[in-house]
Short mmCIF file of all heavy atoms in Angstrom, two decimals:
data_model
loop_
_atom_site.label_atom_id
_atom_site.label_comp_id
_atom_site.label_asym_id
_atom_site.label_seq_id
_atom_site.Cartn_x
_atom_site.Cartn_y
_atom_site.Cartn_z
N MET R 3 141.58 163.21 71.73
CA MET R 3 141.35 161.98 71.07
C MET R 3 140.56 162.24 69.80
O MET R 3 139.74 163.12 69.72
CB MET R 3 140.53 161.04 71.99
CG MET R 3 140.27 159.72 71.37
SD MET R 3 139.21 158.69 72.33
CE MET R 3 137.68 159.57 72.18
N ILE R 4 140.87 161.49 68.80
CA ILE R 4 140.19 161.58 67.53
C ILE R 4 139.67 160.21 67.07
O ILE R 4 140.18 159.18 67.56
CB ILE R 4 141.07 162.18 66.41
CG1 ILE R 4 142.29 161.31 66.21
CG2 ILE R 4 141.43 163.60 66.74
CD1 ILE R 4 143.07 161.62 64.98
N GLN R 5 138.75 160.21 66.13
CA GLN R 5 138.22 158.97 65.56
C GLN R 5 138.26 159.16 64.08
O GLN R 5 137.27 159.56 63.47
CB GLN R 5 136.84 158.69 66.10
CG GLN R 5 136.29 157.40 65.65
CD GLN R 5 134.89 157.13 66.18
OE1 GLN R 5 134.21 158.01 66.64
NE2 GLN R 5 134.43 155.92 66.01
N PRO R 6 139.40 158.83 63.42
CA PRO R 6 139.44 158.99 61.98
C PRO R 6 138.51 158.12 61.18
O PRO R 6 138.18 158.39 60.04
CB PRO R 6 140.90 158.76 61.62
CG PRO R 6 141.50 158.03 62.79
CD PRO R 6 140.63 158.36 63.97
N GLY R 7 138.12 157.01 61.80
CA GLY R 7 137.16 156.13 61.16
C GLY R 7 136.36 155.43 62.25
O GLY R 7 136.75 155.46 63.44
N GLU R 8 135.28 154.85 61.89
CA GLU R 8 134.39 154.21 62.89
C GLU R 8 135.16 153.16 63.69
O GLU R 8 135.77 152.25 63.09
CB GLU R 8 133.17 153.61 62.24
CG GLU R 8 132.18 153.09 63.24
CD GLU R 8 130.84 152.68 62.56
OE1 GLU R 8 130.57 153.23 61.50
OE2 GLU R 8 130.17 151.85 63.15
N GLY R 9 135.18 153.26 64.97
CA GLY R 9 135.88 152.30 65.83
C GLY R 9 137.41 152.45 65.84
O GLY R 9 138.07 151.67 66.50
N ASP R 10 137.91 153.45 65.15
CA ASP R 10 139.40 153.63 65.09
C ASP R 10 139.72 154.91 65.93
O ASP R 10 139.60 156.01 65.40
CB ASP R 10 139.82 153.82 63.65
CG ASP R 10 141.32 154.04 63.50
OD1 ASP R 10 142.09 153.80 64.49
OD2 ASP R 10 141.75 154.46 62.39
N PHE R 11 140.09 154.68 67.17
CA PHE R 11 140.34 155.78 68.07
C PHE R 11 141.87 156.00 68.21
O PHE R 11 142.60 155.04 68.30
CB PHE R 11 139.77 155.50 69.48
CG PHE R 11 138.30 155.35 69.43
CD1 PHE R 11 137.72 154.06 69.46
CD2 PHE R 11 137.44 156.45 69.40
CE1 PHE R 11 136.35 153.92 69.40
CE2 PHE R 11 136.06 156.29 69.35
CZ PHE R 11 135.52 155.01 69.35
N ARG R 12 142.29 157.25 68.22
CA ARG R 12 143.69 157.61 68.38
C ARG R 12 143.79 158.81 69.29
O ARG R 12 142.90 159.67 69.33
CB ARG R 12 144.35 157.93 67.04
CG ARG R 12 144.24 156.72 66.12
CD ARG R 12 144.85 156.94 64.81
NE ARG R 12 144.49 155.79 63.92
CZ ARG R 12 144.89 155.68 62.70
NH1 ARG R 12 145.67 156.62 62.19
NH2 ARG R 12 144.54 154.65 62.00
N ALA R 13 144.93 158.88 69.99
CA ALA R 13 145.12 160.00 70.89
C ALA R 13 146.54 160.52 70.71
O ALA R 13 147.50 159.76 70.46
CB ALA R 13 144.89 159.55 72.33
N PHE R 14 146.72 161.82 70.86
CA PHE R 14 148.03 162.48 70.76
C PHE R 14 148.15 163.44 71.91
O PHE R 14 147.16 163.93 72.46
CB PHE R 14 148.15 163.28 69.45
CG PHE R 14 147.87 162.43 68.22
CD1 PHE R 14 146.68 162.51 67.57
CD2 PHE R 14 148.83 161.56 67.75
CE1 PHE R 14 146.43 161.73 66.43
CE2 PHE R 14 148.60 160.77 66.64
CZ PHE R 14 147.41 160.85 65.99
N SER R 15 149.38 163.76 72.22
CA SER R 15 149.62 164.81 73.22
C SER R 15 148.95 166.08 72.71
O SER R 15 148.95 166.37 71.50
CB SER R 15 151.11 165.07 73.38
OG SER R 15 151.32 166.23 74.17
N ALA R 16 148.40 166.87 73.61
CA ALA R 16 147.74 168.11 73.22
C ALA R 16 148.73 169.23 73.09
O ALA R 16 148.35 170.38 72.75
CB ALA R 16 146.68 168.51 74.26
N PHE R 17 150.02 168.97 73.37
CA PHE R 17 151.01 170.04 73.38
C PHE R 17 151.78 170.01 72.01
O PHE R 17 152.33 169.00 71.62
CB PHE R 17 151.98 169.91 74.53
CG PHE R 17 151.32 170.12 75.84
CD1 PHE R 17 151.02 169.05 76.64
CD2 PHE R 17 150.92 171.38 76.23
CE1 PHE R 17 150.37 169.25 77.84
CE2 PHE R 17 150.25 171.59 77.45
CZ PHE R 17 149.95 170.52 78.23
N CYS R 18 151.81 171.17 71.37
CA CYS R 18 152.51 171.34 70.10
C CYS R 18 154.01 171.14 70.30
O CYS R 18 154.59 171.72 71.22
CB CYS R 18 152.21 172.72 69.54
SG CYS R 18 153.04 173.10 68.00
N PRO R 19 154.63 170.33 69.43
CA PRO R 19 156.10 170.12 69.56
C PRO R 19 156.94 171.35 69.20
O PRO R 19 158.15 171.33 69.43
CB PRO R 19 156.33 168.95 68.63
CG PRO R 19 155.24 169.01 67.65
CD PRO R 19 154.07 169.57 68.35
N HIS R 20 156.34 172.36 68.62
CA HIS R 20 157.13 173.56 68.27
C HIS R 20 157.55 174.30 69.52
O HIS R 20 158.75 174.36 69.82
CB HIS R 20 156.33 174.45 67.31
CG HIS R 20 157.06 175.71 66.99
ND1 HIS R 20 156.50 176.96 67.12
CD2 HIS R 20 158.30 175.92 66.48
CE1 HIS R 20 157.36 177.87 66.74
NE2 HIS R 20 158.48 177.24 66.34
N ARG R 21 156.62 174.87 70.24
CA ARG R 21 156.97 175.62 71.45
C ARG R 21 156.03 175.30 72.63
O ARG R 21 156.01 176.02 73.60
CB ARG R 21 156.90 177.12 71.19
CG ARG R 21 157.92 177.57 70.18
CD ARG R 21 158.95 178.52 70.79
NE ARG R 21 159.97 178.84 69.84
CZ ARG R 21 160.19 180.04 69.34
NH1 ARG R 21 159.45 181.06 69.69
NH2 ARG R 21 161.18 180.26 68.49
N GLY R 22 155.25 174.25 72.48
CA GLY R 22 154.49 173.78 73.62
C GLY R 22 153.09 174.36 73.83
O GLY R 22 152.50 174.11 74.85
N CYS R 23 152.59 175.12 72.88
CA CYS R 23 151.21 175.61 73.01
C CYS R 23 150.28 174.40 72.94
O CYS R 23 150.62 173.36 72.39
CB CYS R 23 150.85 176.55 71.88
SG CYS R 23 151.63 178.17 72.01
N MET R 24 149.05 174.56 73.45
CA MET R 24 148.08 173.54 73.37
C MET R 24 147.38 173.64 72.01
O MET R 24 146.87 174.70 71.67
CB MET R 24 147.09 173.64 74.51
CG MET R 24 146.14 172.44 74.59
SD MET R 24 145.17 172.42 76.08
CE MET R 24 146.44 171.90 77.27
N VAL R 25 147.35 172.54 71.29
CA VAL R 25 146.64 172.56 70.02
C VAL R 25 145.14 172.71 70.31
O VAL R 25 144.68 172.29 71.34
CB VAL R 25 146.97 171.30 69.16
CG1 VAL R 25 148.42 171.27 68.76
CG2 VAL R 25 146.57 170.01 69.91
N LYS R 26 144.45 173.32 69.37
CA LYS R 26 143.05 173.68 69.69
C LYS R 26 142.05 173.10 68.69
O LYS R 26 141.14 172.42 69.08
CB LYS R 26 142.88 175.20 69.66
CG LYS R 26 143.60 175.90 70.82
CD LYS R 26 142.80 175.99 71.99
CE LYS R 26 143.55 176.84 73.05
NZ LYS R 26 143.00 176.74 74.32
N SER R 27 142.19 173.43 67.43
CA SER R 27 141.11 173.15 66.54
C SER R 27 141.39 171.88 65.72
O SER R 27 142.50 171.56 65.40
CB SER R 27 140.87 174.30 65.56
OG SER R 27 142.02 174.58 64.80
N ILE R 28 140.33 171.20 65.45
CA ILE R 28 140.43 170.03 64.55
C ILE R 28 139.52 170.30 63.37
O ILE R 28 138.33 170.48 63.57
CB ILE R 28 139.97 168.73 65.33
CG1 ILE R 28 140.91 168.48 66.49
CG2 ILE R 28 139.97 167.56 64.36
CD1 ILE R 28 140.51 167.32 67.33
N GLY R 29 140.15 170.34 62.19
CA GLY R 29 139.36 170.61 61.01
C GLY R 29 139.08 169.36 60.24
O GLY R 29 139.14 168.24 60.80
N ASP R 30 138.85 169.51 58.96
CA ASP R 30 138.48 168.37 58.11
C ASP R 30 139.55 167.26 58.14
O ASP R 30 139.25 166.11 58.20
CB ASP R 30 138.25 168.79 56.69
CG ASP R 30 136.96 169.60 56.58
OD1 ASP R 30 136.11 169.48 57.48
OD2 ASP R 30 136.84 170.33 55.57
N SER R 31 140.82 167.71 58.06
CA SER R 31 141.88 166.69 58.00
C SER R 31 143.09 167.04 58.80
O SER R 31 144.14 166.48 58.65
CB SER R 31 142.26 166.45 56.51
OG SER R 31 142.73 167.63 55.96
N ALA R 32 142.97 168.05 59.69
CA ALA R 32 144.14 168.52 60.43
C ALA R 32 143.80 168.98 61.83
O ALA R 32 142.70 169.45 62.11
CB ALA R 32 144.81 169.67 59.64
N ILE R 33 144.81 168.84 62.67
CA ILE R 33 144.79 169.42 64.02
C ILE R 33 145.67 170.66 63.93
O ILE R 33 146.80 170.57 63.42
CB ILE R 33 145.33 168.41 65.06
CG1 ILE R 33 144.55 167.14 65.04
CG2 ILE R 33 145.39 169.06 66.42
CD1 ILE R 33 145.21 165.96 65.80
N ARG R 34 145.19 171.77 64.44
CA ARG R 34 145.94 173.03 64.26
C ARG R 34 146.37 173.63 65.60
O ARG R 34 145.65 173.56 66.57
CB ARG R 34 145.10 174.04 63.52
CG ARG R 34 144.68 173.55 62.16
CD ARG R 34 143.95 174.59 61.33
NE ARG R 34 143.35 173.99 60.16
CZ ARG R 34 144.02 173.50 59.10
NH1 ARG R 34 145.31 173.60 59.02
NH2 ARG R 34 143.38 172.95 58.10
N CYS R 35 147.56 174.23 65.56
CA CYS R 35 148.06 174.97 66.68
C CYS R 35 147.77 176.46 66.49
O CYS R 35 148.17 177.03 65.47
CB CYS R 35 149.55 174.74 66.87
SG CYS R 35 150.23 175.66 68.31
N PRO R 36 147.16 177.13 67.47
CA PRO R 36 146.79 178.52 67.29
C PRO R 36 147.98 179.50 67.44
O PRO R 36 147.87 180.65 67.05
CB PRO R 36 145.75 178.79 68.36
CG PRO R 36 146.15 177.83 69.46
CD PRO R 36 146.67 176.60 68.75
N CYS R 37 149.05 179.04 68.03
CA CYS R 37 150.16 179.97 68.32
C CYS R 37 150.94 180.40 67.10
O CYS R 37 151.12 181.59 66.89
CB CYS R 37 151.10 179.33 69.35
SG CYS R 37 150.34 179.18 70.99
N HIS R 38 151.42 179.51 66.28
CA HIS R 38 152.23 179.86 65.13
C HIS R 38 151.75 179.18 63.85
O HIS R 38 152.44 179.21 62.85
CB HIS R 38 153.70 179.57 65.38
CG HIS R 38 154.20 180.10 66.71
ND1 HIS R 38 154.42 179.28 67.79
CD2 HIS R 38 154.48 181.37 67.08
CE1 HIS R 38 154.81 180.05 68.80
NE2 HIS R 38 154.87 181.29 68.38
N GLY R 39 150.65 178.46 63.94
CA GLY R 39 150.02 177.95 62.73
C GLY R 39 150.45 176.54 62.24
O GLY R 39 150.09 176.18 61.16
N SER R 40 151.15 175.80 63.06
CA SER R 40 151.50 174.44 62.66
C SER R 40 150.25 173.64 62.52
O SER R 40 149.23 173.82 63.22
CB SER R 40 152.43 173.77 63.67
OG SER R 40 153.70 174.36 63.68
N SER R 41 150.29 172.65 61.62
CA SER R 41 149.16 171.73 61.46
C SER R 41 149.66 170.30 61.40
O SER R 41 150.78 170.05 60.97
CB SER R 41 148.33 172.10 60.22
OG SER R 41 149.14 172.06 59.09
N PHE R 42 148.80 169.41 61.87
CA PHE R 42 149.13 168.01 62.03
C PHE R 42 148.07 167.10 61.45
O PHE R 42 146.90 167.42 61.55
CB PHE R 42 149.37 167.69 63.53
CG PHE R 42 150.36 168.61 64.19
CD1 PHE R 42 149.88 169.81 64.80
CD2 PHE R 42 151.69 168.38 64.17
CE1 PHE R 42 150.79 170.68 65.39
CE2 PHE R 42 152.56 169.23 64.76
CZ PHE R 42 152.14 170.39 65.36
N ASP R 43 148.51 165.99 60.88
CA ASP R 43 147.62 165.05 60.26
C ASP R 43 146.68 164.40 61.32
O ASP R 43 147.15 163.96 62.36
CB ASP R 43 148.41 163.97 59.54
CG ASP R 43 147.55 163.08 58.70
OD1 ASP R 43 146.96 162.12 59.26
OD2 ASP R 43 147.39 163.37 57.51
N LEU R 44 145.42 164.36 61.01
CA LEU R 44 144.48 163.75 61.96
C LEU R 44 144.71 162.27 62.23
O LEU R 44 144.52 161.76 63.30
CB LEU R 44 143.05 163.89 61.42
CG LEU R 44 142.18 165.05 61.88
CD1 LEU R 44 140.86 164.98 61.19
CD2 LEU R 44 142.05 165.08 63.34
N ALA R 45 145.16 161.55 61.20
CA ALA R 45 145.27 160.13 61.32
C ALA R 45 146.49 159.67 62.12
O ALA R 45 146.41 158.71 62.87
CB ALA R 45 145.31 159.50 59.91
N ASP R 46 147.61 160.41 61.97
CA ASP R 46 148.82 159.91 62.63
C ASP R 46 149.60 161.01 63.37
O ASP R 46 150.66 160.72 63.95
CB ASP R 46 149.74 159.22 61.65
CG ASP R 46 150.24 160.11 60.52
OD1 ASP R 46 150.03 161.33 60.60
OD2 ASP R 46 150.89 159.58 59.59
N GLY R 47 149.14 162.27 63.38
CA GLY R 47 149.77 163.34 64.12
C GLY R 47 151.02 163.91 63.45
O GLY R 47 151.67 164.79 64.00
N SER R 48 151.33 163.44 62.23
CA SER R 48 152.53 163.94 61.58
C SER R 48 152.33 165.40 61.15
O SER R 48 151.22 165.89 61.00
CB SER R 48 152.86 163.05 60.38
OG SER R 48 151.81 163.11 59.44
N VAL R 49 153.47 166.06 60.88
CA VAL R 49 153.40 167.49 60.53
C VAL R 49 152.92 167.66 59.10
O VAL R 49 153.41 167.05 58.15
CB VAL R 49 154.84 168.11 60.62
CG1 VAL R 49 154.78 169.53 60.20
CG2 VAL R 49 155.35 168.00 62.02
N LEU R 50 151.91 168.54 58.95
CA LEU R 50 151.46 168.89 57.60
C LEU R 50 152.02 170.26 57.21
O LEU R 50 152.24 170.55 56.05
CB LEU R 50 149.90 168.97 57.60
CG LEU R 50 149.17 167.64 57.80
CD1 LEU R 50 147.68 167.87 57.86
CD2 LEU R 50 149.52 166.66 56.72
N GLY R 51 152.19 171.10 58.25
CA GLY R 51 152.71 172.46 57.98
C GLY R 51 153.40 173.00 59.24
O GLY R 51 152.87 172.81 60.32
N GLY R 52 154.56 173.63 59.07
CA GLY R 52 155.33 174.16 60.15
C GLY R 52 154.80 175.45 60.72
O GLY R 52 153.76 175.89 60.26
N PRO R 53 155.58 175.97 61.65
CA PRO R 53 156.98 175.77 61.94
C PRO R 53 157.38 174.49 62.67
O PRO R 53 158.58 174.19 62.79
CB PRO R 53 157.36 177.02 62.72
CG PRO R 53 156.14 177.41 63.44
CD PRO R 53 155.04 177.08 62.47
N ALA R 54 156.44 173.77 63.20
CA ALA R 54 156.83 172.50 63.90
C ALA R 54 157.55 171.60 62.91
O ALA R 54 157.20 171.54 61.74
CB ALA R 54 155.60 171.81 64.47
N THR R 55 158.55 170.90 63.41
CA THR R 55 159.32 169.99 62.55
C THR R 55 159.06 168.51 62.91
O THR R 55 159.54 167.64 62.17
CB THR R 55 160.83 170.30 62.62
OG1 THR R 55 161.24 170.19 63.98
CG2 THR R 55 161.13 171.68 62.08
N THR R 56 158.41 168.30 63.99
CA THR R 56 158.03 166.95 64.39
C THR R 56 156.56 166.88 64.69
O THR R 56 155.93 167.90 64.98
CB THR R 56 158.82 166.47 65.61
OG1 THR R 56 158.55 167.36 66.71
CG2 THR R 56 160.34 166.48 65.35
N GLY R 57 156.02 165.71 64.63
CA GLY R 57 154.57 165.54 64.84
C GLY R 57 154.14 165.47 66.29
O GLY R 57 154.99 165.51 67.19
N LEU R 58 152.86 165.42 66.48
CA LEU R 58 152.31 165.26 67.84
C LEU R 58 152.71 163.87 68.38
O LEU R 58 152.74 162.87 67.60
CB LEU R 58 150.81 165.41 67.82
CG LEU R 58 150.27 166.74 67.36
CD1 LEU R 58 148.74 166.70 67.23
CD2 LEU R 58 150.68 167.86 68.31
N ILE R 59 152.96 163.83 69.66
CA ILE R 59 153.39 162.56 70.28
C ILE R 59 152.14 161.65 70.50
O ILE R 59 151.18 162.14 71.13
CB ILE R 59 154.08 162.82 71.61
CG1 ILE R 59 155.33 163.64 71.38
CG2 ILE R 59 154.37 161.52 72.36
CD1 ILE R 59 155.96 164.15 72.66
N PRO R 60 152.16 160.45 69.94
CA PRO R 60 151.03 159.55 70.17
C PRO R 60 150.86 159.23 71.64
O PRO R 60 151.87 159.11 72.36
CB PRO R 60 151.37 158.32 69.38
CG PRO R 60 152.50 158.70 68.48
CD PRO R 60 153.18 159.87 69.14
N LYS R 61 149.64 159.04 72.08
CA LYS R 61 149.36 158.65 73.47
C LYS R 61 148.68 157.29 73.42
O LYS R 61 147.82 157.04 72.58
CB LYS R 61 148.39 159.61 74.11
CG LYS R 61 148.85 161.06 74.16
CD LYS R 61 149.74 161.35 75.34
CE LYS R 61 148.94 161.31 76.61
NZ LYS R 61 149.72 161.79 77.72
N PRO R 62 149.05 156.38 74.33
CA PRO R 62 148.39 155.09 74.39
C PRO R 62 146.95 155.26 74.87
O PRO R 62 146.68 156.16 75.68
CB PRO R 62 149.22 154.31 75.37
CG PRO R 62 149.87 155.31 76.27
CD PRO R 62 150.07 156.55 75.39
N LEU R 63 146.11 154.46 74.41
CA LEU R 63 144.74 154.45 74.93
C LEU R 63 144.27 153.03 75.11
O LEU R 63 144.76 152.11 74.44
CB LEU R 63 143.77 155.26 74.07
CG LEU R 63 143.60 154.96 72.61
CD1 LEU R 63 142.64 153.78 72.40
CD2 LEU R 63 143.03 156.16 71.93
N GLN R 64 143.36 152.83 76.00
CA GLN R 64 142.83 151.52 76.27
C GLN R 64 141.29 151.61 76.28
O GLN R 64 140.73 152.64 76.72
CB GLN R 64 143.23 151.00 77.62
CG GLN R 64 144.73 150.68 77.70
CD GLN R 64 145.09 150.09 79.07
OE1 GLN R 64 144.60 150.52 80.09
NE2 GLN R 64 146.04 149.16 79.07
N ILE R 65 140.66 150.59 75.83
CA ILE R 65 139.19 150.52 75.91
C ILE R 65 138.85 149.45 76.93
O ILE R 65 139.26 148.27 76.79
CB ILE R 65 138.57 150.21 74.55
CG1 ILE R 65 138.95 151.31 73.55
CG2 ILE R 65 137.04 150.11 74.66
CD1 ILE R 65 138.51 151.06 72.17
N ARG R 66 138.23 149.87 78.02
CA ARG R 66 137.83 148.95 79.09
C ARG R 66 136.37 149.08 79.35
O ARG R 66 135.89 150.19 79.66
CB ARG R 66 138.60 149.28 80.38
CG ARG R 66 140.01 148.92 80.37
CD ARG R 66 140.63 149.10 81.72
NE ARG R 66 142.08 149.12 81.66
CZ ARG R 66 142.85 149.44 82.62
NH1 ARG R 66 142.37 149.87 83.77
NH2 ARG R 66 144.19 149.42 82.46
N GLN R 67 135.67 148.01 79.24
CA GLN R 67 134.22 147.97 79.52
C GLN R 67 133.50 149.12 78.79
O GLN R 67 132.69 149.79 79.33
CB GLN R 67 133.99 148.06 81.02
CG GLN R 67 134.58 146.88 81.77
CD GLN R 67 134.40 146.96 83.26
OE1 GLN R 67 134.21 148.04 83.84
NE2 GLN R 67 134.50 145.80 83.90
N GLY R 68 133.87 149.34 77.51
CA GLY R 68 133.23 150.31 76.72
C GLY R 68 133.66 151.73 76.96
O GLY R 68 133.11 152.67 76.36
N ARG R 69 134.65 151.94 77.80
CA ARG R 69 135.14 153.29 78.08
C ARG R 69 136.56 153.43 77.54
O ARG R 69 137.37 152.53 77.68
CB ARG R 69 135.16 153.57 79.61
CG ARG R 69 133.75 153.60 80.18
CD ARG R 69 133.85 153.85 81.63
NE ARG R 69 134.52 155.11 81.86
CZ ARG R 69 134.30 155.95 82.82
NH1 ARG R 69 133.43 155.62 83.73
NH2 ARG R 69 134.98 157.05 82.94
N ILE R 70 136.87 154.59 76.99
CA ILE R 70 138.18 154.88 76.46
C ILE R 70 138.98 155.60 77.54
O ILE R 70 138.54 156.62 78.06
CB ILE R 70 138.12 155.72 75.17
CG1 ILE R 70 137.37 154.93 74.13
CG2 ILE R 70 139.52 156.06 74.67
CD1 ILE R 70 137.04 155.71 72.89
N GLU R 71 140.16 155.05 77.87
CA GLU R 71 141.00 155.67 78.90
C GLU R 71 142.31 156.13 78.26
O GLU R 71 142.96 155.36 77.53
CB GLU R 71 141.28 154.66 80.01
CG GLU R 71 140.04 154.22 80.74
CD GLU R 71 140.29 153.12 81.78
OE1 GLU R 71 141.41 152.62 81.86
OE2 GLU R 71 139.34 152.78 82.47
N ILE R 72 142.65 157.39 78.54
CA ILE R 72 143.91 158.01 78.02
C ILE R 72 144.62 158.62 79.17
O ILE R 72 144.04 159.37 79.94
CB ILE R 72 143.57 159.10 76.98
CG1 ILE R 72 142.68 158.51 75.87
CG2 ILE R 72 144.82 159.67 76.43
CD1 ILE R 72 142.06 159.58 74.99
N PRO R 73 145.93 158.35 79.33
CA PRO R 73 146.66 158.97 80.44
C PRO R 73 146.73 160.49 80.21
O PRO R 73 146.82 160.96 79.07
CB PRO R 73 148.05 158.36 80.39
CG PRO R 73 148.07 157.50 79.16
CD PRO R 73 146.75 157.42 78.59
N ALA R 74 146.70 161.25 81.28
CA ALA R 74 146.73 162.72 81.19
C ALA R 74 148.13 163.16 80.72
O ALA R 74 149.13 162.49 80.97
CB ALA R 74 146.41 163.31 82.54
N ASP R 75 148.17 164.32 80.02
CA ASP R 75 149.44 164.98 79.68
C ASP R 75 150.16 165.40 80.94
O ASP R 75 149.53 165.78 81.90
CB ASP R 75 149.20 166.18 78.78
CG ASP R 75 149.06 165.79 77.31
OD1 ASP R 75 149.82 164.91 76.87
OD2 ASP R 75 148.19 166.34 76.66
N GLU R 76 151.45 165.32 80.92
CA GLU R 76 152.23 165.78 82.08
C GLU R 76 152.71 167.18 81.87
O GLU R 76 152.83 167.64 80.80
CB GLU R 76 153.39 164.85 82.34
CG GLU R 76 152.89 163.43 82.67
CD GLU R 76 154.06 162.43 82.78
OE1 GLU R 76 155.23 162.82 82.74
OE2 GLU R 76 153.73 161.29 82.96
S1 LIG C 122 153.73 176.43 69.45
FE1 LIG C 122 152.51 175.46 67.98
S2 LIG C 122 153.16 176.32 66.10
FE2 LIG C 122 154.40 177.25 67.56
#
């Protein structure tokens, strides 16, 4: 889960769409995959740099009683 702005929460699948590695690092403006170097936009998960050709899959989230709930990756 990321928070690109105050009160603006977003979640994406943790699995890279290239070959399924788990993305690891979140930098200033990108989420990075350690396996082959793909990078994804923090705000919407779109591809910034390949080899991935599609972005991270958005995950729904809900805020209930002040808690953020995100379904687990399958
Ligand atoms: S699995 Fe992520 S870049 Fe290849």
Side-chain angles (χ1 to χ4, degrees):
M3 181 186 68
I4 59 168
Q5 185 181 13
E8 188 170 334
D10 180 13
F11 298 100
R12 298 179 191 182
F14 304 103
S15 171
F17 295 104
C18 178
H20 177 233
R21 297 244 174 115
C23 289
M24 189 169 286
V25 295
K26 294 271 186 193
S27 62
I28 299 177
D30 290 341
S31 59
I33 300 167
R34 300 186 192 289
C35 178
C37 290
H38 310 103
S40 290
S41 58
F42 306 92
D43 189 276
L44 265 179
D46 63 8
S48 63
V49 177
L50 295 175
T55 57
T56 59
L58 298 174
I59 298 170
K61 302 274 290 190
L63 58 80
Q64 293 182 322
I65 300 174
R66 287 188 195 168
Q67 298 178 337
R69 295 180 56 149
I70 299 171
E71 298 176 354
I72 304 167
D75 276 318
E76 297 176 6

